[in-house]
Amino acid sequence: MDIRFEKNAVIFGGIDCFDLEKSCSCGQAFRWRPFGDGQLGIVRGEPVLITREGSSVVINGASPASAAMWMHYLDLGRDYASIEAKVAADPRLSCCFPEAHGIRVFNQEPFEALISFIISQNNNIKRISGIIERLCTKCGEPVAFMGETLYAFPAPERIAALTESELTALGSGYRAPFIRAAAERIAGGYDLEKLRDMELAEAREELLSFLGIGPKVADCVLLFSLQHTDAFPVDVWIDRAVKALFFEGNKFKKVELYEAVSSLGEYSGIIQQYIFQYARKNLGGKA
DNA sequence: AGCCAGGCTGACG
DNA sequence: CGTCAGCATGGC
């Protein structure tokens, strides 16, 4: 991989195994949207239009100073080809391709992931995106970019300053008090970054102490923002897929699921995202 | 028109 | 420890 800078763009060359559109729409992140021939979004207050040109990833609007941040966000330093090769060689999982091919697991900003996945519980991706977008429009910093107005994900204090009824008005429903409480706790000084270097089980316990965060949401936060690539979120889609792929359609217990899945190794969370994609494309309805 | 969604809480055995 | 109703909302 190489990096070069052009006027108003950072360009990463030699990137394979990266389907930009798929990675942005697979349900790991909720704010990217198609724009022109790329994806428009804003991360840590920095608006960009990402496009692919051959084997290059072009971050239009990014400054040289943020190159490292974008490389980390898109997880460009990881060898996905070898991870995919391992999955393709597993007879239980090879069926996840080609649908899952090219998905990279992004490293999102932790507070954004925390709030986003609190909102995600018992909810669908389309509606989750809508709620988050209305939240950002309501109290995020506006930034003009490419003729559009984008809104940064709000700082914790901004969300903590909202009333429950204001949060409910965004469509968040019964999750409003969870969102408020989490934002207050972060604004009050709780440092999510400390979870990055903790053992998975310990970091998980920490997140479970938040009201409205259970095992699934905790694993999402750890996988999608804090680099715990072995965190394995289990939602209804994954439950269906694991039942079909690992248990031959038979009933199983939660502990058996985690046992089976832990054998997938240190990148089981990334593999989880392949399975999730497979499930959403192939296991619609009750299985 | 119901059923469902990147589930969790609190109550009860 | 495991089970389970109830939960706001709107997409399909």
Side-chain angles (χ1 to χ4, degrees):
Chain A
M1 192 204 64
D2 57 280
I3 306 176
R4 76 175 194 278
F5 307 103
E6 289 189 357
K7 70 278 183 200
N8 208 32
V10 173
I11 302 174
F12 299 96
I15 306 295
D16 63 346
C17 226
F18 180 31
D19 188 316
L20 174 66
E21 191 280 331
K22 201 183 289 182
S23 298
C24 288
S25 65
C26 71
Q28 62 170 324
F30 302 99
R31 299 201 65 204
W32 293 101
R33 64 164 205 239
F35 189 90
D37 59 345
Q39 295 286 328
L40 185 66
I42 179 167
V43 173
R44 296 182 187 271
E46 184 164 311
V48 292
L49 174 64
I50 305 181
T51 56
R52 292 230 54 172
E53 290 177 14
S55 66
S56 292
V57 177
V58 183
I59 319 288
N60 301 94
S63 64
S66 66
M69 187 277 279
W70 284 107
M71 179 173 160
H72 178 248
Y73 181 90
L74 300 173
D75 212 23
L76 296 181
R78 196 184 303 281
D79 179 8
Y80 276 79
S82 70
I83 298 174
E84 287 200 9
K86 180 184 170 188
V87 175
D90 188 324
R92 300 166 301 183
L93 297 175
S94 56
C95 63
C96 294
F97 300 116
E99 271 108 347
H101 172 61
I103 292 180
R104 279 174 183 259
V105 172
F106 295 161
N107 295 114
Q108 300 177 54
E109 196 281 311
F111 177 65
E112 177 172 343
L114 185 82
I115 299 300
S116 296
F117 284 98
I118 285 176
I119 291 170
S120 79
Q121 70 161 65
N122 198 31
N123 209 339
N124 60 69
I125 293 175
K126 178 96 63 170
R127 214 172 75 84
I128 296 163
S129 302
I131 296 168
I132 293 172
E133 216 49 49
R134 288 189 289 278
L135 175 65
C136 294
T137 302
K138 183 172 182 59
C139 62
E141 283 299 316
V143 183
F145 183 70
M146 307 279 292
E148 307 278 311
T149 301
L150 302 188
Y151 295 85
F153 194 86
E157 307 79 42
R158 303 294 295 274
I159 297 180
L162 299 177
T163 64
E164 279 188 20
S165 61
E166 283 176 312
L167 285 165
T168 301
L170 302 173
S172 63
Y174 67 93
R175 308 164 192 83
F178 304 160
I179 298 169
R180 243 191 70 73
E184 270 188 343
R185 190 165 171 189
I186 303 302
Y190 186 94
D191 182 20
L192 287 168
E193 287 295 334
K194 74 183 181 188
L195 306 180
R196 197 182 294 273
D197 298 317
M198 284 185 184
E199 291 295 319
L200 174 61
E202 187 186 2
R204 208 163 181 259
E205 284 305 314
E206 279 285 327
L207 288 173
L208 291 179
S209 72
F210 283 76
L211 187 65
I213 294 188
K216 191 272 175 183
V217 170
D219 285 337
C220 281
V221 174
L222 293 171
L223 174 62
F224 297 129
S225 76
L226 292 164
Q227 296 173 280
H228 280 92
T229 56
D230 53 343
F232 196 94
V234 178
D235 68 346
V236 297
W237 295 102
I238 289 293
D239 197 80
R240 276 174 205 153
V242 169
K243 180 179 178 183
L245 303 179
F246 286 74
F247 295 94
E248 299 174 337
N250 298 315
K251 287 280 298 175
F252 58 90
K253 295 182 178 181
K254 202 84 168 181
V255 283
E256 298 177 296
L257 183 156
Y258 284 112
E259 281 172 15
V261 144
S262 66
S263 67
L264 296 175
E266 62 178 323
Y267 303 121
S268 58
I270 293 173
I271 296 170
Q272 182 271 4
Q273 195 55 214
Y274 299 154
I275 301 173
F276 180 71
Q277 183 76 354
Y278 167 81
R280 283 216 305 148
K281 299 296 181 185
N282 297 288
L283 302 180
K286 58 274 176 195

